[in-house]
Amino acid sequence: MQAGATLVLLARLARGRTRRPPVEPLLADEPTTPVSVLVATLNEGHRIAPLLTGVSAQRAPVREILVIDSNSTDGTRGLVEAAAAQDPRIRLLTDPPLPRGWIGKAWALQFGAQQAAGPWLLGLDADTAPRPGLAAAVVAAAEREGYDAVSFSPRFADQTALERWIQPAILATLVYRFGPAGDDTPPDRVMANGQCFLIKRDVLLQHGGYETVKASFAEDVSMARHLARRGARVGFLDGSRLYDVRSYESAGQMWREWGRSVDLKDATTPARQAADVAFLVLAQGLPVPLLLAAAAGVAMATPVLAVNGTLLALRLLVTVALAGSYAARGLPFWMSAAADPIAVVRVLMSSLRRPKQWRTRAYES
């Protein structure tokens, strides 16, 4: 079974040979299609400052920056209002009360899309730190490649040593399941990242807006797959040179918050979900424990050692491929394969339970 999983993994990783290079910031003030930036917020006062600084530094094509706040009580609104006094493109909006059956972020983005004027909508999360030239670069990449929607992976910054050990292992579970981003990815395996998500406004509204993914805790991937199934051209590119992200304040918060959605069950059929978890156990969860057991003197058949040695070598190659997505690495990052069994257990735990809380909001089961 592990040998079969190895062949599947090799086929998925082989697509990385044609992976596009990271998208570079574009600083030229050349005329281009206007963009409306959408930022959904709820009690983000402790981390929204870099986002506000970063979006204000964007030149063309950003014409408006809509911050859709869900009645924050922690000072978020005051920070946005202060930024708006310095940049007239920034507007603070308050979304209507959350309807039954909606997850908060999807509702805020739906409201923002209805208020926006630009033909392109650029969703940015409150924990991102955009670099100058991000907006122009993502629009240029989308128009060059002919995408209707495209999202961009980040560079992770300001992580603790424990995060730099566990988080790359959890990130690797996504690479193992879906492979590197590419245009030949089937619609039901398309990946996306809502931290930096660009979409044509008319395409979004034509296909039902965020109401089609209203109950998803992974609204970004659910939306990307929804559009891809309906014939839209959807992309996923390396944005590690466009923005940094500090999603979580500690390894514990990362374990709780990201772990609730990293299974992607909201965008995956139950049968495929079960197959994905089984594949992760075979290809990523078992090699380190089995090889450690062999090193401790437990008898292992030669084929078992060969297969698991191959799987560990592939995992180390994935670590090298992920290095550019981390501002700081060090020994914890390079040893992250040792955390693979923990990461697979987290995906399994998340697959078996439906979240009841996200950030500061509680939801009905």
Side-chain angles (χ1 to χ4, degrees):
M1 292 173 67
Q2 280 192 294
T6 302
L7 295 177
V8 172
L9 181 60
L10 282 168
R12 290 176 180 172
L13 296 182
R15 298 206 312 266
R17 293 177 300 173
T18 58
R19 185 183 181 187
R20 294 175 176 81
V23 178
E24 299 286 350
L26 186 59
L27 298 175
D29 271 329
E30 299 175 2
T32 186
T33 311
V35 174
S36 296
V37 175
L38 306 181
V39 183
T41 60
L42 175 60
N43 294 330
E44 303 283 2
H46 60 295
R47 59 183 173 187
I48 197 175
L51 177 279
L52 294 172
T53 300
V55 292
S56 289
Q58 304 301 314
R59 299 182 294 199
V62 173
R63 302 295 174 86
E64 61 178 355
I65 302 162
L66 306 182
V67 180
I68 306 99
D69 185 70
S70 300
N71 291 301
S72 294
T73 58
D74 70 339
T76 298
R77 298 178 68 87
L79 291 172
V80 176
E81 289 168 348
Q86 302 297 320
D87 187 341
R89 296 175 300 172
I90 297 177
R91 292 167 49 202
L92 177 61
L93 306 177
T94 303
D95 54 344
L98 186 66
R100 182 181 177 84
W102 281 78
I103 301 300
K105 184 180 178 183
W107 173 245
L109 291 173
Q110 174 76 353
F111 179 71
Q114 293 169 344
Q115 307 303 311
W120 282 109
L121 305 179
L122 174 58
L124 293 174
D125 277 3
D127 54 15
T128 62
R131 299 176 195 169
L134 175 147
V138 298
V139 172
E143 294 184 339
R144 180 177 63 250
E145 302 292 342
Y147 290 133
D148 298 303
V150 57
S151 57
F152 299 81
S153 63
R155 187 178 74 157
F156 300 98
D158 301 323
Q159 293 183 318
T160 65
L162 186 56
E163 285 179 277
R164 283 184 277 119
W165 183 60
I166 296 178
Q167 199 263 4
I170 296 179
L171 182 61
T173 69
L174 297 173
V175 179
Y176 271 50
R177 282 175 281 171
F178 308 112
D183 293 338
D184 58 345
T185 305
D188 64 340
R189 306 299 279 174
V190 166
M191 276 300 295
N193 177 30
Q195 293 167 326
C196 183
F197 194 114
L198 182 73
I199 186 170
K200 289 179 178 177
R201 183 175 182 272
D202 59 346
V203 170
L204 173 68
L205 299 181
Q206 174 188 345
H207 292 287
Y210 280 91
E211 185 171 7
T212 59
V213 298
K214 65 182 181 180
S216 176
F217 284 98
E219 89 295 327
D220 47 2
V221 179
S222 295
M223 175 59 71
R225 294 179 180 180
H226 169 74
L227 294 174
R229 286 193 295 267
R230 282 153 180 78
R233 185 165 164 76
V234 180
F236 185 38
L237 300 175
D238 186 340
S240 59
R241 298 181 184 175
L242 299 177
Y243 71 106
D244 287 348
V245 64
R246 175 70 170 105
S247 300
Y248 307 107
E249 298 176 6
S250 65
Q253 187 187 50
M254 180 270 297
W255 178 266
R256 294 187 301 272
E257 299 288 347
W258 194 26
R260 290 182 183 134
S261 62
V262 76
D263 58 89
L264 301 182
K265 60 177 172 286
D266 290 344
T268 310
T269 64
R272 175 71 81 167
Q273 183 73 19
D276 282 346
V277 172
F279 171 76
L280 287 178
V281 171
L282 293 169
Q284 191 178 354
L286 288 179
V288 169
L290 290 178
L291 292 173
L292 287 176
V298 177
M300 295 275 178
T302 300
V304 174
L305 293 175
V307 168
N308 283 279
T310 300
L311 286 168
L312 181 58
L314 291 173
R315 174 63 174 88
L316 296 178
L317 289 175
V318 170
T319 304
V320 172
L322 293 176
S325 296
Y326 290 83
R329 293 178 289 273
L331 186 61
F333 170 81
W334 295 112
M335 293 293 293
S336 63
D340 280 1
I342 301 172
V344 173
V345 166
R346 188 63 185 93
V347 174
L348 175 61
M349 290 169 54
S350 181
S351 297
L352 297 175
R353 292 191 301 216
R354 175 73 178 172
K356 295 183 180 180
Q357 183 174 338
W358 187 257
R359 300 290 183 172
T360 57
R361 265 193 170 125
Y363 297 92
E364 297 178 5
S365 62

